[in-house]
PDB file of all heavy atoms in Angstrom:
ATOM      1  N   ASP A 126     101.692 115.301  86.418  1.00 98.00           N
ATOM      2  CA  ASP A 126     100.261 115.591  86.299  1.00 98.00           C
ATOM      3  C   ASP A 126      99.426 114.328  86.484  1.00 98.00           C
ATOM      4  O   ASP A 126      98.378 114.347  87.119  1.00 98.00           O
ATOM      5  CB  ASP A 126      99.977 116.208  84.926  1.00 98.00           C
ATOM      6  CG  ASP A 126      98.504 116.505  84.705  1.00 98.00           C
ATOM      7  OD1 ASP A 126      98.019 117.525  85.236  1.00 98.00           O
ATOM      8  OD2 ASP A 126      97.836 115.696  84.017  1.00 98.00           O
ATOM      9  N   HIS A 127      99.906 113.231  85.923  1.00 98.00           N
ATOM     10  CA  HIS A 127      99.241 111.945  86.080  1.00 98.00           C
ATOM     11  C   HIS A 127     100.232 110.846  85.728  1.00 98.00           C
ATOM     12  O   HIS A 127     101.317 111.119  85.202  1.00 98.00           O
ATOM     13  CB  HIS A 127      97.989 111.843  85.194  1.00 98.00           C
ATOM     14  CG  HIS A 127      98.260 112.035  83.738  1.00 98.00           C
ATOM     15  ND1 HIS A 127      98.441 113.284  83.173  1.00 98.00           N
ATOM     16  CD2 HIS A 127      98.405 111.147  82.714  1.00 98.00           C
ATOM     17  CE1 HIS A 127      98.674 113.163  81.877  1.00 98.00           C
ATOM     18  NE2 HIS A 127      98.662 111.875  81.575  1.00 98.00           N
ATOM     19  N   SER A 306     103.790 117.263  82.392  1.00 98.00           N
ATOM     20  CA  SER A 306     103.416 118.615  82.813  1.00 98.00           C
ATOM     21  C   SER A 306     102.277 119.075  81.922  1.00 98.00           C
ATOM     22  O   SER A 306     102.435 119.162  80.698  1.00 98.00           O
ATOM     23  CB  SER A 306     104.616 119.560  82.688  1.00 98.00           C
ATOM     24  OG  SER A 306     104.246 120.888  82.964  1.00 98.00           O
ATOM     25  N   ARG A 307     101.102 119.358  82.507  1.00 98.00           N
ATOM     26  CA  ARG A 307      99.942 119.733  81.705  1.00 98.00           C
ATOM     27  C   ARG A 307     100.004 121.211  81.334  1.00 98.00           C
ATOM     28  O   ARG A 307     100.185 122.073  82.187  1.00 98.00           O
ATOM     29  CB  ARG A 307      98.646 119.423  82.449  1.00 98.00           C
ATOM     30  CG  ARG A 307      97.412 119.614  81.561  1.00 98.00           C
ATOM     31  CD  ARG A 307      96.118 119.215  82.245  1.00 98.00           C
ATOM     32  NE  ARG A 307      96.064 117.819  82.653  1.00 98.00           N
ATOM     33  CZ  ARG A 307      94.935 117.093  82.667  1.00 98.00           C
ATOM     34  NH1 ARG A 307      93.793 117.635  82.268  1.00 98.00           N
ATOM     35  NH2 ARG A 307      94.964 115.842  83.090  1.00 98.00           N
ATOM     36  N   VAL A 308      99.810 121.462  80.052  1.00 98.00           N
ATOM     37  CA  VAL A 308      99.789 122.829  79.537  1.00 98.00           C
ATOM     38  C   VAL A 308      98.372 123.373  79.571  1.00 98.00           C
ATOM     39  O   VAL A 308      98.130 124.509  79.980  1.00 98.00           O
ATOM     40  CB  VAL A 308     100.359 122.890  78.110  1.00 98.00           C
ATOM     41  CG1 VAL A 308     100.291 124.319  77.554  1.00 98.00           C
ATOM     42  CG2 VAL A 308     101.792 122.361  78.080  1.00 98.00           C
ATOM     43  N   SER A 309      97.400 122.545  79.141  1.00 97.00           N
ATOM     44  CA  SER A 309      96.003 122.975  79.149  1.00 97.00           C
ATOM     45  C   SER A 309      95.084 121.762  79.136  1.00 97.00           C
ATOM     46  O   SER A 309      95.477 120.668  78.706  1.00 97.00           O
ATOM     47  CB  SER A 309      95.703 123.875  77.952  1.00 97.00           C
ATOM     48  OG  SER A 309      95.795 123.165  76.731  1.00 97.00           O
ATOM     49  N   ASP A 310      93.839 121.967  79.607  1.00 96.00           N
ATOM     50  CA  ASP A 310      92.822 120.912  79.596  1.00 96.00           C
ATOM     51  C   ASP A 310      92.159 120.798  78.231  1.00 96.00           C
ATOM     52  O   ASP A 310      91.902 119.705  77.731  1.00 96.00           O
ATOM     53  CB  ASP A 310      91.743 121.200  80.645  1.00 96.00           C
ATOM     54  CG  ASP A 310      92.268 121.110  82.067  1.00 96.00           C
ATOM     55  OD1 ASP A 310      93.156 120.270  82.313  1.00 96.00           O
ATOM     56  OD2 ASP A 310      91.810 121.878  82.926  1.00 96.00           O
ATOM     57  N   SER A 311      91.850 121.951  77.625  1.00 95.00           N
ATOM     58  CA  SER A 311      91.149 121.978  76.343  1.00 95.00           C
ATOM     59  C   SER A 311      91.646 123.157  75.502  1.00 95.00           C
ATOM     60  O   SER A 311      91.386 124.306  75.837  1.00 95.00           O
ATOM     61  CB  SER A 311      89.643 122.108  76.572  1.00 95.00           C
ATOM     62  OG  SER A 311      88.936 122.074  75.360  1.00 95.00           O
ATOM     63  N   PRO A 312      92.408 122.887  74.442  1.00 96.00           N
ATOM     64  CA  PRO A 312      92.812 121.548  73.997  1.00 96.00           C
ATOM     65  C   PRO A 312      93.795 120.921  74.984  1.00 96.00           C
ATOM     66  O   PRO A 312      94.559 121.635  75.634  1.00 96.00           O
ATOM     67  CB  PRO A 312      93.469 121.806  72.650  1.00 96.00           C
ATOM     68  CG  PRO A 312      94.005 123.199  72.763  1.00 96.00           C
ATOM     69  CD  PRO A 312      92.988 123.952  73.586  1.00 96.00           C
ATOM     70  N   TYR A 313      93.735 119.603  75.048  1.00 97.00           N
ATOM     71  CA  TYR A 313      94.591 118.882  75.998  1.00 97.00           C
ATOM     72  C   TYR A 313      96.018 118.859  75.470  1.00 97.00           C
ATOM     73  O   TYR A 313      96.292 118.334  74.384  1.00 97.00           O
ATOM     74  CB  TYR A 313      94.064 117.462  76.176  1.00 97.00           C
ATOM     75  CG  TYR A 313      94.948 116.573  77.010  1.00 97.00           C
ATOM     76  CD1 TYR A 313      95.238 116.891  78.330  1.00 97.00           C
ATOM     77  CD2 TYR A 313      95.482 115.395  76.478  1.00 97.00           C
ATOM     78  CE1 TYR A 313      96.037 116.073  79.104  1.00 97.00           C
ATOM     79  CE2 TYR A 313      96.269 114.562  77.246  1.00 97.00           C
ATOM     80  CZ  TYR A 313      96.559 114.904  78.558  1.00 97.00           C
ATOM     81  OH  TYR A 313      97.354 114.087  79.314  1.00 97.00           O
ATOM     82  N   LEU A 314      96.928 119.439  76.245  1.00 97.00           N
ATOM     83  CA  LEU A 314      98.335 119.488  75.869  1.00 97.00           C
ATOM     84  C   LEU A 314      99.193 119.177  77.085  1.00 97.00           C
ATOM     85  O   LEU A 314      98.949 119.688  78.183  1.00 97.00           O
ATOM     86  CB  LEU A 314      98.709 120.871  75.329  1.00 97.00           C
ATOM     87  CG  LEU A 314      98.038 121.325  74.028  1.00 97.00           C
ATOM     88  CD1 LEU A 314      98.373 122.782  73.750  1.00 97.00           C
ATOM     89  CD2 LEU A 314      98.488 120.444  72.864  1.00 97.00           C
ATOM     90  N   ILE A 315     100.204 118.329  76.880  1.00 97.00           N
ATOM     91  CA  ILE A 315     101.145 118.030  77.955  1.00 97.00           C
ATOM     92  C   ILE A 315     102.576 118.084  77.412  1.00 97.00           C
ATOM     93  O   ILE A 315     102.806 117.904  76.209  1.00 97.00           O
ATOM     94  CB  ILE A 315     100.914 116.640  78.576  1.00 97.00           C
ATOM     95  CG1 ILE A 315     101.025 115.549  77.504  1.00 97.00           C
ATOM     96  CG2 ILE A 315      99.605 116.555  79.313  1.00 97.00           C
ATOM     97  CD1 ILE A 315     101.207 114.161  78.087  1.00 97.00           C
ATOM     98  N   TRP A 337      88.987 120.778  94.712  1.00 98.00           N
ATOM     99  CA  TRP A 337      88.112 120.129  93.735  1.00 98.00           C
ATOM    100  C   TRP A 337      87.016 119.307  94.418  1.00 98.00           C
ATOM    101  O   TRP A 337      86.250 118.616  93.753  1.00 98.00           O
ATOM    102  CB  TRP A 337      88.927 119.215  92.815  1.00 98.00           C
ATOM    103  CG  TRP A 337      89.907 119.944  91.940  1.00 98.00           C
ATOM    104  CD1 TRP A 337      90.123 121.293  91.865  1.00 98.00           C
ATOM    105  CD2 TRP A 337      90.811 119.347  91.007  1.00 98.00           C
ATOM    106  NE1 TRP A 337      91.102 121.582  90.963  1.00 98.00           N
ATOM    107  CE2 TRP A 337      91.551 120.402  90.405  1.00 98.00           C
ATOM    108  CE3 TRP A 337      91.073 118.036  90.608  1.00 98.00           C
ATOM    109  CZ2 TRP A 337      92.536 120.181  89.444  1.00 98.00           C
ATOM    110  CZ3 TRP A 337      92.056 117.810  89.648  1.00 98.00           C
ATOM    111  CH2 TRP A 337      92.773 118.864  89.078  1.00 98.00           C
ATOM    112  N   GLN A 347      83.564 120.912  88.836  1.00 97.00           N
ATOM    113  CA  GLN A 347      83.761 120.848  87.394  1.00 97.00           C
ATOM    114  C   GLN A 347      85.246 120.748  87.051  1.00 97.00           C
ATOM    115  O   GLN A 347      85.627 120.125  86.063  1.00 97.00           O
ATOM    116  CB  GLN A 347      83.157 122.091  86.726  1.00 97.00           C
ATOM    117  CG  GLN A 347      83.294 122.136  85.209  1.00 97.00           C
ATOM    118  CD  GLN A 347      82.569 121.010  84.502  1.00 97.00           C
ATOM    119  OE1 GLN A 347      81.471 120.623  84.898  1.00 97.00           O
ATOM    120  NE2 GLN A 347      83.181 120.466  83.450  1.00 97.00           N
ATOM    121  N   LYS A 348      86.087 121.364  87.863  1.00 98.00           N
ATOM    122  CA  LYS A 348      87.529 121.310  87.611  1.00 98.00           C
ATOM    123  C   LYS A 348      88.026 119.877  87.619  1.00 98.00           C
ATOM    124  O   LYS A 348      88.904 119.509  86.828  1.00 98.00           O
ATOM    125  CB  LYS A 348      88.266 122.143  88.672  1.00 98.00           C
ATOM    126  CG  LYS A 348      89.775 122.197  88.481  1.00 98.00           C
ATOM    127  CD  LYS A 348      90.163 122.835  87.154  1.00 98.00           C
ATOM    128  CE  LYS A 348      91.682 122.878  87.013  1.00 98.00           C
ATOM    129  NZ  LYS A 348      92.108 123.404  85.684  1.00 98.00           N
ATOM    130  N   ALA A 349      87.478 119.059  88.498  1.00 98.00           N
ATOM    131  CA  ALA A 349      87.856 117.646  88.538  1.00 98.00           C
ATOM    132  C   ALA A 349      87.480 116.955  87.237  1.00 98.00           C
ATOM    133  O   ALA A 349      88.259 116.165  86.679  1.00 98.00           O
ATOM    134  CB  ALA A 349      87.175 116.961  89.721  1.00 98.00           C
ATOM    135  N   LEU A 350      86.308 117.247  86.744  1.00 98.00           N
ATOM    136  CA  LEU A 350      85.851 116.653  85.485  1.00 98.00           C
ATOM    137  C   LEU A 350      86.731 117.102  84.326  1.00 98.00           C
ATOM    138  O   LEU A 350      87.101 116.303  83.456  1.00 98.00           O
ATOM    139  CB  LEU A 350      84.392 117.046  85.231  1.00 98.00           C
ATOM    140  CG  LEU A 350      83.649 116.310  84.117  1.00 98.00           C
ATOM    141  CD1 LEU A 350      83.617 114.815  84.374  1.00 98.00           C
ATOM    142  CD2 LEU A 350      82.228 116.855  83.993  1.00 98.00           C
ATOM    143  N   ASP A 351      87.090 118.380  84.304  1.00 98.00           N
ATOM    144  CA  ASP A 351      87.949 118.906  83.239  1.00 98.00           C
ATOM    145  C   ASP A 351      89.315 118.229  83.240  1.00 98.00           C
ATOM    146  O   ASP A 351      89.897 117.982  82.174  1.00 98.00           O
ATOM    147  CB  ASP A 351      88.133 120.420  83.403  1.00 98.00           C
ATOM    148  CG  ASP A 351      86.845 121.193  83.214  1.00 98.00           C
ATOM    149  OD1 ASP A 351      85.917 120.650  82.583  1.00 98.00           O
ATOM    150  OD2 ASP A 351      86.760 122.342  83.698  1.00 98.00           O
ATOM    151  N   TYR A 352      89.825 117.949  84.428  1.00 98.00           N
ATOM    152  CA  TYR A 352      91.124 117.278  84.541  1.00 98.00           C
ATOM    153  C   TYR A 352      91.049 115.834  84.038  1.00 98.00           C
ATOM    154  O   TYR A 352      91.928 115.344  83.328  1.00 98.00           O
ATOM    155  CB  TYR A 352      91.579 117.292  86.005  1.00 98.00           C
ATOM    156  CG  TYR A 352      92.734 116.364  86.307  1.00 98.00           C
ATOM    157  CD1 TYR A 352      94.047 116.771  86.114  1.00 98.00           C
ATOM    158  CD2 TYR A 352      92.504 115.058  86.782  1.00 98.00           C
ATOM    159  CE1 TYR A 352      95.110 115.908  86.379  1.00 98.00           C
ATOM    160  CE2 TYR A 352      93.554 114.198  87.052  1.00 98.00           C
ATOM    161  CZ  TYR A 352      94.859 114.628  86.845  1.00 98.00           C
ATOM    162  OH  TYR A 352      95.905 113.769  87.105  1.00 98.00           O
ATOM    163  N   LEU A 353      89.997 115.132  84.417  1.00 98.00           N
ATOM    164  CA  LEU A 353      89.884 113.704  84.133  1.00 98.00           C
ATOM    165  C   LEU A 353      89.563 113.392  82.678  1.00 98.00           C
ATOM    166  O   LEU A 353      90.057 112.402  82.119  1.00 98.00           O
ATOM    167  CB  LEU A 353      88.791 113.100  85.017  1.00 98.00           C
ATOM    168  CG  LEU A 353      89.082 113.025  86.517  1.00 98.00           C
ATOM    169  CD1 LEU A 353      87.790 112.835  87.290  1.00 98.00           C
ATOM    170  CD2 LEU A 353      90.057 111.877  86.802  1.00 98.00           C
ATOM    171  N   LEU A 354      88.732 114.200  82.064  1.00 98.00           N
ATOM    172  CA  LEU A 354      88.161 113.865  80.758  1.00 98.00           C
ATOM    173  C   LEU A 354      89.196 113.530  79.682  1.00 98.00           C
ATOM    174  O   LEU A 354      89.039 112.526  78.975  1.00 98.00           O
ATOM    175  CB  LEU A 354      87.244 114.998  80.293  1.00 98.00           C
ATOM    176  CG  LEU A 354      86.321 114.674  79.125  1.00 98.00           C
ATOM    177  CD1 LEU A 354      85.396 113.514  79.471  1.00 98.00           C
ATOM    178  CD2 LEU A 354      85.483 115.903  78.760  1.00 98.00           C
ATOM    179  N   PRO A 355      90.276 114.301  79.507  1.00 98.00           N
ATOM    180  CA  PRO A 355      91.223 113.970  78.432  1.00 98.00           C
ATOM    181  C   PRO A 355      91.957 112.656  78.644  1.00 98.00           C
ATOM    182  O   PRO A 355      92.454 112.058  77.676  1.00 98.00           O
ATOM    183  CB  PRO A 355      92.218 115.152  78.459  1.00 98.00           C
ATOM    184  CG  PRO A 355      91.564 116.225  79.243  1.00 98.00           C
ATOM    185  CD  PRO A 355      90.669 115.539  80.218  1.00 98.00           C
ATOM    186  N   LEU A 356      92.023 112.184  79.872  1.00 98.00           N
ATOM    187  CA  LEU A 356      92.822 111.009  80.174  1.00 98.00           C
ATOM    188  C   LEU A 356      92.172 109.706  79.743  1.00 98.00           C
ATOM    189  O   LEU A 356      92.847 108.667  79.667  1.00 98.00           O
ATOM    190  CB  LEU A 356      93.128 110.960  81.679  1.00 98.00           C
ATOM    191  CG  LEU A 356      93.790 112.213  82.258  1.00 98.00           C
ATOM    192  CD1 LEU A 356      94.097 112.009  83.741  1.00 98.00           C
ATOM    193  CD2 LEU A 356      95.054 112.579  81.498  1.00 98.00           C
ATOM    194  N   ASP A 358      90.352 109.469  76.826  1.00 98.00           N
ATOM    195  CA  ASP A 358      89.949 109.670  75.436  1.00 98.00           C
ATOM    196  C   ASP A 358      90.454 108.554  74.522  1.00 98.00           C
ATOM    197  O   ASP A 358      91.583 108.091  74.642  1.00 98.00           O
ATOM    198  CB  ASP A 358      90.488 111.009  74.928  1.00 98.00           C
ATOM    199  CG  ASP A 358      89.934 111.366  73.560  1.00 98.00           C
ATOM    200  OD1 ASP A 358      88.716 111.236  73.358  1.00 98.00           O
ATOM    201  OD2 ASP A 358      90.726 111.759  72.687  1.00 98.00           O
TER     202      ASP A 358
END
Side-chain angles (χ1 to χ4, degrees):
D126 178 78
H127 58 281
S306 174
R307 188 176 300 213
V308 178
S309 67
D310 293 326
S311 183
Y313 173 60
L314 296 172
I315 58 163
W337 295 359
Q347 180 63 39
K348 182 61 180 176
L350 192 59
D351 295 339
Y352 167 86
L353 291 162
L354 194 60
L356 305 183
D358 188 46

